[in-house]
Structures are given as C-alpha cells and as structure tokens.
Amino acid sequence: MLKSLSSDNRTAFDFVNIIAGLGLLLSPWYLGFAAEAYAAWNAWFVGAAVTLIAVAALFSFHQVEEWANVVLGLWALVSPWVLGFSPVTAAMWAHVIAGIVVAVLAAGGIWFTHNRPLSTA
C-alpha cells in the first residue's frame, strides 16, 4: 500500500501544475478572450503565480507552495462567477479546468505528504 508520495510523484504533480499554469497563462491568446479585461488579467495573474509556485516546489519542496496552489486553484475555479466573466465560455472553462487540476494535485500533494493511506481496507 502506498503510504506516502515519493519525491518522483510529487515532481510529476508539480510538472502537471506547471503545464496547467502555463495553459491558463496563455489561454487568453489561444482561446481568444484577451479583450475581456477581467478574464484575461485573472488568467495571466493566476497562471503566472501557479507556474512560478510549481517551479519553486520543484527545487525546494515546502507545504506552503502546495497550500498556495490549492488557494489559487480554488480561486481560478470560482473566479468566472465572482468577477463576472462566466458568459465568456472559453474563459470560464479555461479557469474551471485549470482550477480543478491545480487544486486537486496540490491537495493530493499535501494529503500524501502527511503519510495518509489511500485506503484503510
């Protein structure tokens, strides 16, 4: 039974978070919502922050990086409705998908770092 997340798996989680962050960062251009101010600026800010935090976690893992990515992922998930750009479908889905990926992987990194088992059965 896998009880803790090895550094190799944690590194894989961080690489996926880097890709998700870069995807969100570049999404205003490749999905065509760069003219939508709130959506574009939020994507640029959150995408850059997720990417930089995940890169930092590659070099020196601390739980604060994972907690920051959980918060950023949850923000990306709810921001289309909070900032009012949910009618812009491409922007909404880019934020929702990236938010779910980042939050789940960061939360998984925190969970497995504390040596919690996948199952007690």
Side-chain angles (χ1 to χ4, degrees):
M1 173 69 50
L2 176 69
K3 288 203 164 214
S4 67
L5 190 62
S6 71
S7 64
D8 292 338
N9 291 337
R10 199 170 51 236
T11 301
F13 281 13
D14 290 331
F15 274 119
V16 174
N17 272 343
I18 290 169
I19 292 167
L22 288 174
L24 187 58
L25 177 70
L26 299 174
S27 66
W29 292 293
Y30 66 80
L31 293 178
F33 63 90
E36 299 290 332
Y38 289 130
W41 279 102
N42 193 63
W44 293 328
F45 176 76
V46 175
V50 166
T51 302
L52 291 175
I53 290 169
V55 167
L58 284 175
F59 293 105
S60 175
F61 177 76
H62 297 286
Q63 284 188 358
V64 70
E65 287 107 353
E66 300 302 329
W67 281 108
N69 271 344
V70 168
V71 170
L72 287 168
L74 293 175
W75 170 250
L77 180 64
V78 300
S79 64
W81 294 275
V82 173
L83 297 178
F85 61 85
S86 62
V88 183
T89 307
M92 182 203 54
W93 282 112
H95 281 81
V96 167
I97 292 168
I100 289 171
V101 168
V102 169
V104 166
L105 289 178
I110 293 168
W111 179 265
F112 290 122
T113 301
H114 287 289
N115 293 326
R116 293 203 169 86
L118 291 172
S119 173
T120 57

